[in-house]
Amino acid sequence: MNNVFLTGFMATGKTLVGRWLAQRLGMPFLDADVEIEREAGMSVADIFDRLGEAEFRARERRTLERLCALESAVIATGGGAVVDPRNRAAMRASGVLVCLTADPDTILGRLGSSRDRPLLADANGREARIRSLLGERAAAYGDAELIIDTSQRSPEEVADAIVEWLAGARVLPIRNSLR
Ligand code: S3P
C-alpha cells in the first residue's frame, strides 16, 4: 500500500513523470500498460485490434488489482483506467491518486505522428476525439487527491511538485489543484 498512482489522459506525461517521481522517492516504478503487454505477450494496440477494447479493459482491471497489492510503488496507469469506478476504488484503497492533465493542443502536439494509441489512431479528427474523450472522462479524472496541469511544466518539475505535495499532505483526503 502507500502507492502513488499517476492517472490522466494520454500524453499527459504519466510515464516520464512516474520515472522521475520514483527516483526522487526511492520507490520502484511500474507502468500498468507495460504490465498488461507483458502478461498478454502483445502490444496494447494488438490487444485492441485482435481481442477488442472490452477484453483490454478486463485485462487492465486484473492488472491494476495485482498492482494495487504492491507496497510503496509509483504506478502509471493507462488513460482510460480511471473510467471504471472499481479501478478508482481499488487504487484509492491502496494509495493516492495524482492526476496529470494537459490542454488539448499540448496533448495533440505531444502525440505528434505516433500511431500507438488505438483510441486516437485516426489522424483525421484526432483533436475532436481528444476533446470529446476529455469531456466524457472529466469527472473520472477529477476524482483524484492531486491534479497537476503538465502543459507548461517539464516532467522533472511535475515530479518535484508531487514530492513537495506528498511531503505536506500525509493526512487524506486532501484535494488540491496545481494549475
Ligand atoms: C488509453 C490510454 C493508453 C492505453 C490504451 C487506452 C485510454 O495509455 O491504456 O491505449 O483509454 O485513454 P496511455 O494513457 O499511457 O497512452
Side-chain angles (χ1 to χ4, degrees):
M1 312 293 159
N2 282 324
N3 296 307
V4 180
F5 293 93
L6 295 180
T7 68
F9 199 73
M10 294 170 265
T12 51
K14 291 164 295 188
T15 302
L16 283 176
V17 169
R19 289 214 179 95
W20 279 103
L21 182 62
Q23 203 177 39
R24 290 282 320 270
L25 296 172
M27 284 158 64
F29 171 71
L30 291 108
D31 185 316
D33 278 346
V34 171
E35 294 296 307
I36 296 167
E37 290 181 329
R38 202 170 48 76
E39 284 161 17
M42 59 179 134
S43 68
V44 168
D46 281 343
I47 299 173
F48 267 74
D49 198 37
R50 296 188 206 168
L51 309 176
E53 180 171 356
E55 177 59 24
F56 172 78
R57 297 300 171 198
R59 286 168 185 248
E60 181 172 55
R61 186 159 156 58
R62 286 201 298 274
T63 299
L64 275 175
E65 242 164 45
R66 179 171 66 74
L67 296 178
C68 282
L70 294 173
E71 286 289 339
S72 301
V74 174
I75 300 162
T77 63
V82 288
V83 173
D84 186 332
R86 293 172 300 178
N87 290 343
R88 299 207 297 277
M91 290 191 270
R92 184 153 279 122
S94 159
V96 290
L97 279 76
V98 176
C99 181
L100 307 188
T101 66
D103 55 67
D105 286 344
T106 301
I107 291 169
L108 202 56
R110 286 180 187 165
L111 287 168
S113 56
S114 74
R115 290 276 172 279
D116 51 356
R117 265 97 167 181
L119 294 181
L120 302 174
D122 181 7
N124 298 320
R126 200 180 238 192
E127 186 178 351
R129 179 83 168 125
I130 290 170
R131 287 182 192 278
S132 81
L133 279 173
L134 281 172
E136 280 167 30
R137 295 176 173 180
Y141 290 139
D143 187 14
E145 278 69 56
L146 176 68
I147 298 167
I148 304 188
D149 188 343
T150 68
S151 305
Q152 309 292 333
R153 292 182 171 94
S154 68
E156 296 94 317
E157 286 171 333
V158 177
D160 285 350
I162 297 170
V163 170
E164 208 171 297
W165 178 81
L166 284 169
R170 286 295 174 197
V171 183
L172 296 175
I174 282 177
R175 271 164 210 270
N176 240 323
S177 196
L178 301 179
R179 299 260 171 225

